[in-house]
Amino acid sequence: DRAEALARAIPDDGQRVRTLGRLAGAAVHAGDLDRAKALGAQAAVSARTIKSPYQQVRALASLAEAAAGAGDLDQATALARAIPERGQQVRTLASLAAAAAERGDLDQAKALARAIPDAAQQVRTLASLAEAAAAAGDLDQAKALALQILDPGQQVRALRVIAESAAERGDLDQAEALAEQAAMTAQTITDPDERAQVLGSLAGAAT
């Protein structure tokens, strides 16, 4: 339509990206996800030509959020990973994962969290998502997120928090099953000191 044609004709890369991004966002809110994806793809091409590193980072992060909102996981991940500044790349993926979880899109949240290139931030993001789901009472989602944590010590900690949430809600069978899962995972920790510490914390939580 005319708005798209005018946006594509803007000579300044940054302004063109921002305008196409706004149109993509409007399409998402209107429920026209196909149009949103197409606009986002056009904006992404222009974003990669922005000469200012600061503006490029902002543009790519904004477009990644728009793509995730339109349900285009591949595009959202690609845009986030195209951000040249690693710290912002990690923060963007973590933010996208949290937003996906809030929308109830567990599969997208897990995929975005697993795409985070920083191992420590990936663990923190998954643990945070799992704990938020547990606090909201969605124990199945919380457990699924916790089991995506590859670090056994951090997985145990997340499972323990979820088990406590289950117990507080009176779901003792679920709490017991989660505690057993945490104990089995704790046994896989290779460092003996960490394993002893984690098993000790589980024993303390059980008393």
Side-chain angles (χ1 to χ4, degrees):
D1 62 13
R2 181 169 173 76
E4 289 180 37
L6 289 170
R8 287 194 294 269
I10 296 172
D12 180 76
D13 290 333
Q15 184 60 46
R16 184 167 63 255
V17 169
R18 287 190 291 274
T19 303
L20 287 168
R22 283 195 292 271
L23 291 175
V28 169
H29 289 301
D32 191 347
L33 300 186
D34 288 338
R35 181 168 181 248
K37 291 177 183 179
L39 287 163
Q42 294 173 42
V45 172
S46 294
R48 289 179 168 87
T49 66
I50 295 174
K51 293 181 174 59
S52 165
Y54 173 72
Q55 289 187 15
Q56 186 183 66
V57 165
R58 288 185 61 193
L60 288 169
S62 176
L63 291 173
E65 291 174 7
D72 193 342
L73 175 60
D74 290 341
Q75 176 78 327
T77 304
L79 286 164
R81 285 193 151 176
I83 295 172
E85 201 279 304
R86 183 180 175 85
Q88 183 61 50
Q89 181 185 130
V90 168
R91 288 190 292 274
T92 298
L93 285 165
S95 175
L96 292 176
E102 287 177 8
R103 291 194 302 272
D105 192 337
L106 175 60
D107 289 339
Q108 189 182 79
K110 288 191 292 187
L112 287 162
R114 293 296 297 274
I116 295 172
D118 181 87
Q121 182 60 54
Q122 183 185 115
V123 166
R124 286 194 293 270
T125 299
L126 286 167
S128 176
L129 294 175
E131 291 175 17
D138 192 343
L139 299 179
D140 289 338
Q141 175 172 309
K143 180 181 177 181
L145 286 161
L147 293 177
Q148 293 293 311
I149 299 172
L150 299 181
D151 179 274
Q154 293 295 334
Q155 185 184 117
V156 168
R157 293 179 183 91
L159 287 169
R160 187 184 67 194
V161 169
I162 301 166
E164 290 170 354
S165 293
E168 288 171 2
R169 285 173 167 75
D171 191 345
L172 300 184
D173 289 341
Q174 177 81 302
E176 184 177 353
L178 287 162
E180 289 176 358
Q181 176 73 54
M184 287 189 293
T185 302
Q187 294 291 349
T188 69
I189 297 173
T190 56
D191 180 84
D193 291 335
E194 183 186 4
R195 184 170 63 249
Q197 182 180 20
V198 171
L199 287 170
S201 69
L202 289 175
T207 58

